[in-house]
Coordinates of all heavy atoms in Angstrom, one line a residue:
I53 N 10.4 26.5 -21.8 CA 10.9 25.5 -22.7 C 10.4 25.7 -24.1 O 11.2 25.6 -25.1 CB 10.4 24.1 -22.2 CG1 11.1 23.7 -20.9 CG2 10.7 23.0 -23.3 CD1 10.6 22.4 -20.3
A54 N 9.1 26.1 -24.2 CA 8.6 26.3 -25.6 C 9.1 27.5 -26.3 O 9.3 27.5 -27.5 CB 7.0 26.3 -25.5
F55 N 9.3 28.6 -25.5 CA 9.6 29.9 -26.1 C 11.0 30.4 -25.9 O 11.4 31.5 -26.4 CB 8.6 31.0 -25.7 CG 7.2 30.7 -26.1 CD1 6.3 30.1 -25.3 CD2 6.8 30.9 -27.5 CE1 5.0 29.9 -25.7 CE2 5.5 30.6 -27.9 CZ 4.6 30.1 -27.0
F56 N 11.8 29.7 -25.1 CA 13.2 30.0 -25.0 C 14.2 28.9 -25.2 O 15.0 29.0 -26.1 CB 13.5 30.6 -23.6 CG 14.9 30.9 -23.3 CD1 15.5 32.1 -23.9 CD2 15.7 30.1 -22.6 CE1 16.8 32.4 -23.7 CE2 17.1 30.4 -22.4 CZ 17.6 31.6 -22.9
V57 N 14.0 27.8 -24.5 CA 14.9 26.7 -24.6 C 14.9 26.1 -26.0 O 15.9 25.9 -26.7 CB 14.6 25.6 -23.6 CG1 15.6 24.4 -23.8 CG2 14.8 26.2 -22.2
A58 N 13.7 25.7 -26.5 CA 13.5 25.1 -27.8 C 14.0 26.0 -29.0 O 14.8 25.6 -29.8 CB 12.1 24.7 -28.1
P59 N 13.6 27.3 -29.0 CA 14.2 28.2 -30.1 C 15.7 28.3 -30.0 O 16.4 28.4 -31.0 CB 13.5 29.5 -29.8 CG 12.2 29.2 -29.1 CD 12.6 28.0 -28.3
F60 N 16.2 28.4 -28.7 CA 17.7 28.5 -28.6 C 18.4 27.3 -29.1 O 19.4 27.4 -29.7 CB 18.0 28.7 -27.1 CG 19.5 28.8 -26.8 CD1 20.2 29.9 -27.2 CD2 20.2 27.7 -26.3 CE1 21.6 30.0 -26.9 CE2 21.5 27.8 -26.1 CZ 22.2 28.9 -26.4
V61 N 17.9 26.1 -28.8 CA 18.5 24.8 -29.2 C 18.5 24.8 -30.8 O 19.4 24.4 -31.4 CB 17.8 23.6 -28.6 CG1 18.3 22.3 -29.3 CG2 18.0 23.6 -27.1
F62 N 17.3 25.2 -31.3 CA 17.2 25.2 -32.8 C 18.2 26.2 -33.4 O 18.9 25.9 -34.4 CB 15.8 25.5 -33.2 CG 15.6 25.6 -34.7 CD1 15.6 24.4 -35.5 CD2 15.5 26.8 -35.4 CE1 15.4 24.5 -36.8 CE2 15.3 26.9 -36.7 CZ 15.3 25.7 -37.5
M63 N 18.4 27.4 -32.8 CA 19.3 28.4 -33.3 C 20.7 27.9 -33.2 O 21.6 28.1 -34.1 CB 19.1 29.7 -32.6 CG 20.0 30.8 -33.1 SD 19.7 32.4 -32.3 CE 20.3 32.0 -30.6
A64 N 21.0 27.2 -32.1 CA 22.4 26.7 -31.9 C 22.7 25.6 -32.9 O 23.8 25.5 -33.5 CB 22.6 26.1 -30.5
A65 N 21.7 24.8 -33.2 CA 21.9 23.7 -34.3 C 22.1 24.4 -35.7 O 22.9 24.0 -36.4 CB 20.7 22.8 -34.3
M66 N 21.3 25.4 -36.0 CA 21.4 26.0 -37.3 C 22.7 26.7 -37.4 O 23.2 26.8 -38.5 CB 20.2 27.1 -37.4 CG 20.2 27.8 -38.8 SD 18.9 28.9 -39.0 CE 17.5 27.7 -39.3
S67 N 23.3 27.2 -36.3 CA 24.6 27.9 -36.4 C 25.7 26.9 -36.9 O 26.8 27.4 -37.4 CB 25.0 28.5 -35.1 OG 25.3 27.5 -34.1
L68 N 25.4 25.6 -36.8 CA 26.4 24.6 -37.3 C 26.1 24.1 -38.7 O 26.8 23.3 -39.2 CB 26.4 23.4 -36.3 CG 26.8 23.8 -34.9 CD1 26.6 22.5 -34.0 CD2 28.2 24.3 -34.8
W69 N 25.1 24.7 -39.3 CA 24.8 24.3 -40.7 C 25.5 25.3 -41.6 O 26.2 26.3 -41.2 CB 23.3 24.3 -41.0 CG 22.5 23.3 -40.1 CD1 23.1 22.3 -39.4 CD2 21.1 23.3 -39.8 NE1 22.1 21.6 -38.7 CE2 20.9 22.2 -39.0 CE3 20.1 24.1 -40.2 CZ2 19.6 21.9 -38.5 CZ3 18.8 23.8 -39.8 CH2 18.6 22.7 -38.9
K70 N 25.3 25.1 -42.9 CA 25.9 26.0 -43.9 C 24.9 26.4 -45.0 O 24.0 25.7 -45.3 CB 27.1 25.3 -44.6 CG 28.3 25.0 -43.7 CD 29.5 24.7 -44.5 CE 29.3 23.6 -45.5 NZ 30.5 23.3 -46.3
R71 N 25.2 27.6 -45.6 CA 24.3 28.1 -46.7 C 25.2 27.9 -48.0 O 26.2 28.5 -48.1 CB 23.9 29.5 -46.5 CG 23.0 30.1 -47.6 CD 22.6 31.5 -47.3 NE 21.8 32.0 -48.4 CZ 22.3 32.7 -49.4 NH1 23.6 32.8 -49.6 NH2 21.4 33.2 -50.3
E72 N 24.7 27.2 -48.9 CA 25.3 27.0 -50.2 C 24.3 27.4 -51.3 O 23.3 26.7 -51.5 CB 25.8 25.5 -50.4 CG 26.8 25.1 -49.4 CD 27.3 23.7 -49.6 OE1 26.7 23.0 -50.5 OE2 28.2 23.2 -48.9
G73 N 24.7 28.5 -52.0 CA 23.7 29.0 -52.9 C 22.5 29.5 -52.3 O 22.6 30.4 -51.4
R74 N 21.3 29.0 -52.7 CA 20.1 29.4 -52.0 C 19.6 28.3 -51.0 O 18.5 28.5 -50.5 CB 19.0 29.7 -53.1 CG 19.4 30.8 -54.0 CD 18.2 31.1 -55.0 NE 18.5 32.3 -55.8 CZ 17.6 32.7 -56.7 NH1 16.4 32.1 -56.9 NH2 18.0 33.8 -57.5
E75 N 20.4 27.3 -50.8 CA 20.0 26.2 -49.9 C 20.7 26.3 -48.6 O 21.9 26.7 -48.6 CB 20.2 24.9 -50.7 CG 19.4 24.8 -52.0 CD 17.9 24.7 -51.7 OE1 17.5 24.2 -50.7 OE2 17.2 25.1 -52.7
I76 N 20.1 25.8 -47.6 CA 20.7 25.6 -46.3 C 21.0 24.1 -46.2 O 20.1 23.3 -46.1 CB 19.8 26.1 -45.1 CG1 19.6 27.6 -45.2 CG2 20.4 25.7 -43.8 CD1 18.7 28.2 -44.2
V77 N 22.3 23.8 -46.1 CA 22.7 22.4 -46.0 C 22.9 22.0 -44.6 O 23.7 22.7 -43.9 CB 24.0 22.2 -46.8 CG1 24.5 20.7 -46.8 CG2 23.8 22.7 -48.3
R78 N 22.3 21.0 -44.1 CA 22.4 20.6 -42.7 C 23.6 19.6 -42.6 O 23.4 18.5 -42.3 CB 21.1 19.9 -42.3 CG 19.9 20.8 -42.4 CD 18.6 20.1 -41.9 NE 17.5 21.0 -42.0 CZ 16.3 20.8 -41.5 NH1 16.0 19.6 -40.9 NH2 15.3 21.6 -41.7
V79 N 24.7 20.2 -42.7 CA 26.0 19.5 -42.5 C 26.7 20.2 -41.3 O 26.9 21.4 -41.2 CB 26.9 19.6 -43.7 CG1 28.3 19.0 -43.4 CG2 26.3 19.0 -44.9
W80 N 27.0 19.4 -40.3 CA 27.5 19.9 -39.0 C 28.9 20.3 -39.2 O 29.8 19.5 -39.6 CB 27.4 18.8 -37.9 CG 26.0 18.3 -37.8 CD1 25.5 17.2 -38.2 CD2 24.9 19.0 -37.1 NE1 24.1 17.0 -37.9 CE2 23.7 18.1 -37.2 CE3 24.7 20.2 -36.4 CZ2 22.5 18.4 -36.7 CZ3 23.5 20.5 -35.9 CH2 22.4 19.6 -36.0
S81 N 29.2 21.6 -38.9 CA 30.6 22.1 -39.0 C 30.7 23.4 -38.2 O 29.7 24.0 -37.8 CB 31.0 22.3 -40.5 OG 30.3 23.4 -41.0
L82 N 31.9 23.8 -38.0 CA 32.2 25.0 -37.3 C 32.6 26.1 -38.2 O 33.2 27.1 -37.8 CB 33.3 24.8 -36.2 CG 33.0 23.9 -35.1 CD1 34.2 23.6 -34.2 CD2 31.8 24.4 -34.3
D83 N 32.2 26.0 -39.5 CA 32.7 27.0 -40.5 C 32.2 28.4 -40.2 O 32.9 29.3 -40.5 CB 32.2 26.5 -41.9 CG 32.9 25.3 -42.4 OD1 33.9 24.9 -41.8 OD2 32.5 24.7 -43.4
N84 N 31.0 28.5 -39.7 CA 30.5 29.8 -39.5 C 31.3 30.5 -38.4 O 31.5 31.7 -38.4 CB 29.0 29.8 -39.1 CG 28.1 29.3 -40.2 OD1 28.3 29.7 -41.4 ND2 27.1 28.5 -39.9
Y85 N 31.6 29.8 -37.3 CA 32.4 30.4 -36.2 C 33.8 30.7 -36.7 O 34.4 31.7 -36.3 CB 32.4 29.4 -35.0 CG 31.0 29.2 -34.4 CD1 30.2 28.1 -34.8 CD2 30.5 30.2 -33.5 CE1 29.0 28.0 -34.2 CE2 29.3 30.0 -33.0 CZ 28.5 28.9 -33.3 OH 27.2 28.8 -32.8
L86 N 34.4 29.8 -37.5 CA 35.7 30.1 -38.1 C 35.7 31.3 -39.0 O 36.6 32.1 -39.0 CB 36.2 28.8 -38.8 CG 36.5 27.6 -38.0 CD1 36.9 26.4 -38.9 CD2 37.5 27.8 -36.9
R87 N 34.6 31.4 -39.7 CA 34.5 32.6 -40.6 C 34.4 33.9 -39.7 O 34.9 34.9 -40.1 CB 33.2 32.4 -41.4 CG 33.0 33.6 -42.4 CD 31.7 33.3 -43.2 NE 31.3 34.5 -43.9 CZ 30.0 34.7 -44.4 NH1 29.1 33.8 -44.2 NH2 29.7 35.8 -45.0
F88 N 33.7 33.8 -38.6 CA 33.6 35.0 -37.7 C 35.0 35.5 -37.3 O 35.3 36.7 -37.3 CB 32.8 34.6 -36.5 CG 32.8 35.7 -35.4 CD1 32.0 36.8 -35.5 CD2 33.7 35.6 -34.3 CE1 32.0 37.8 -34.6 CE2 33.7 36.6 -33.4 CZ 32.9 37.7 -33.5
F89 N 35.9 34.6 -36.9 CA 37.2 35.0 -36.5 C 38.1 35.3 -37.6 O 39.2 35.9 -37.4 CB 37.8 33.9 -35.6 CG 37.1 33.7 -34.3 CD1 36.2 32.7 -34.0 CD2 37.3 34.6 -33.3 CE1 35.6 32.5 -32.8 CE2 36.7 34.5 -32.0 CZ 35.8 33.4 -31.8
S90 N 37.8 34.9 -38.8 CA 38.7 35.1 -40.0 C 38.3 36.4 -40.7 O 39.2 36.9 -41.5 CB 38.7 33.9 -40.9 OG 37.3 33.8 -41.5
E91 N 37.1 36.9 -40.6 CA 36.7 38.1 -41.3 C 36.7 39.3 -40.4 O 36.0 39.3 -39.3 CB 35.3 37.9 -41.9 CG 35.3 36.9 -43.0 CD 34.0 36.9 -43.8 OE1 33.2 37.9 -43.7 OE2 33.7 35.9 -44.6
S92 N 37.4 40.3 -40.7 CA 37.6 41.5 -39.9 C 36.3 42.2 -39.6 O 36.1 42.9 -38.6 CB 38.6 42.4 -40.5 OG 38.2 42.9 -41.8
A93 N 35.3 42.2 -40.6 CA 34.1 42.9 -40.5 C 33.3 42.4 -39.3 O 32.6 43.2 -38.5 CB 33.2 42.8 -41.7
F94 N 33.2 41.1 -39.1 CA 32.5 40.5 -38.0 C 33.2 40.9 -36.6 O 32.5 41.2 -35.7 CB 32.4 39.0 -38.1 CG 31.6 38.5 -39.3 CD1 32.0 37.4 -40.0 CD2 30.5 39.2 -39.7 CE1 31.2 37.0 -41.1 CE2 29.7 38.8 -40.7 CZ 30.1 37.7 -41.5
L95 N 34.5 40.7 -36.6 CA 35.2 41.1 -35.4 C 35.1 42.6 -35.0 O 34.9 42.9 -33.9 CB 36.7 40.7 -35.5 CG 37.0 39.2 -35.5 CD1 38.5 39.0 -35.8 CD2 36.6 38.6 -34.2
K96 N 35.1 43.4 -36.1 CA 34.9 44.8 -35.8 C 33.5 45.1 -35.3 O 33.4 46.0 -34.5 CB 35.2 45.6 -37.2 CG 35.1 47.1 -37.0 CD 36.2 47.6 -36.1 CE 36.2 49.1 -36.1 NZ 37.2 49.7 -35.1
G97 N 32.5 44.4 -35.8 CA 31.2 44.6 -35.3 C 31.1 44.3 -33.8 O 30.4 45.0 -33.1
L98 N 31.7 43.2 -33.4 CA 31.7 42.8 -32.0 C 32.4 43.8 -31.2 O 32.0 44.2 -30.1 CB 32.2 41.4 -31.8 CG 32.3 40.9 -30.4 CD1 30.9 40.9 -29.7 CD2 33.0 39.5 -30.3
T99 N 33.6 44.3 -31.7 CA 34.4 45.3 -31.0 C 33.6 46.6 -30.8 O 33.6 47.2 -29.7 CB 35.7 45.5 -31.7 OG1 36.4 44.3 -31.8 CG2 36.5 46.5 -30.9
N100 N 32.9 47.0 -31.9 CA 32.1 48.2 -31.8 C 31.0 48.1 -30.7 O 30.7 49.0 -30.0 CB 31.5 48.6 -33.1 CG 32.5 49.0 -34.1 OD1 33.6 49.5 -33.8 ND2 32.2 48.9 -35.4
S101 N 30.3 46.9 -30.7 CA 29.3 46.7 -29.8 C 29.8 46.7 -28.4 O 29.1 47.4 -27.5 CB 28.6 45.3 -30.1 OG 28.0 45.3 -31.3
V102 N 30.9 46.1 -28.1 CA 31.4 46.1 -26.7 C 31.9 47.4 -26.3 O 31.6 47.9 -25.2 CB 32.5 45.0 -26.6 CG1 33.2 45.1 -25.2 CG2 32.0 43.6 -26.8
E103 N 32.6 48.2 -27.2 CA 33.0 49.5 -26.8 C 31.9 50.5 -26.6 O 31.9 51.2 -25.6 CB 33.9 50.0 -28.0 CG 35.3 49.3 -28.1 CD 36.1 49.8 -29.3 OE1 35.5 50.6 -30.1 OE2 37.2 49.4 -29.4
I104 N 30.9 50.5 -27.4 CA 29.7 51.3 -27.2 C 29.0 51.0 -25.9 O 28.6 51.8 -25.1 CB 28.8 51.3 -28.4 CG1 29.5 51.9 -29.6 CG2 27.5 52.0 -28.1 CD1 28.7 51.8 -30.9
T105 N 28.8 49.7 -25.7 CA 28.1 49.2 -24.5 C 28.8 49.6 -23.2 O 28.2 50.1 -22.3 CB 27.9 47.7 -24.6 OG1 27.1 47.4 -25.8 CG2 27.1 47.2 -23.4
L106 N 30.1 49.4 -23.2 CA 30.9 49.8 -22.0 C 30.9 51.3 -21.8 O 30.7 51.7 -20.6 CB 32.3 49.3 -22.1 CG 32.5 47.7 -22.1 CD1 34.0 47.4 -22.3 CD2 32.0 47.2 -20.8
T107 N 31.0 52.0 -22.8 CA 30.9 53.5 -22.7 C 29.6 53.9 -22.2 O 29.5 54.8 -21.2 CB 31.2 54.2 -24.1 OG1 32.4 53.8 -24.6 CG2 31.2 55.7 -23.9
V108 N 28.5 53.4 -22.7 CA 27.2 53.7 -22.3 C 26.9 53.3 -20.8 O 26.4 54.1 -20.0 CB 26.1 53.1 -23.2 CG1 24.7 53.2 -22.6 CG2 26.1 53.7 -24.6
T109 N 27.4 52.2 -20.4 CA 27.2 51.7 -19.1 C 27.9 52.6 -18.1 O 27.4 53.0 -17.0 CB 27.7 50.2 -19.0 OG1 27.0 49.4 -19.9 CG2 27.5 49.7 -17.5
V110 N 29.2 52.9 -18.4 CA 30.0 53.8 -17.4 C 29.3 55.2 -17.3 O 29.1 55.7 -16.2 CB 31.4 53.9 -17.9 CG1 32.2 54.9 -17.1 CG2 32.1 52.5 -17.8
L111 N 29.0 55.8 -18.4 CA 28.4 57.1 -18.4 C 27.1 57.1 -17.7 O 26.7 58.0 -16.9 CB 28.2 57.6 -19.8 CG 29.5 58.0 -20.6 CD1 29.2 58.5 -22.0 CD2 30.3 59.1 -19.8

Side-chain angles (χ1 to χ4, degrees):
I53 292 172
F55 296 101
F56 177 76
V57 177
F60 177 77
V61 171
F62 179 74
M63 183 176 68
M66 181 176 287
S67 70
L68 300 175
W69 300 344
K70 293 195 307 180
R71 179 179 181 272
E72 296 181 357
R74 296 184 178 181
E75 300 292 333
I76 296 178
V77 181
R78 299 186 180 185
V79 177
W80 305 100
S81 69
L82 296 175
D83 290 349
N84 292 321
Y85 295 96
L86 296 176
R87 182 184 167 195
F88 171 80
F89 290 103
S90 62
E91 294 192 16
S92 59
F94 294 143
L95 290 174
K96 184 62 176 176
L98 178 60
T99 302
N100 291 338
S101 294
V102 174
E103 289 176 354
I104 290 174
T105 300
L106 291 178
T107 303
V108 169
T109 302
V110 172
L111 290 177

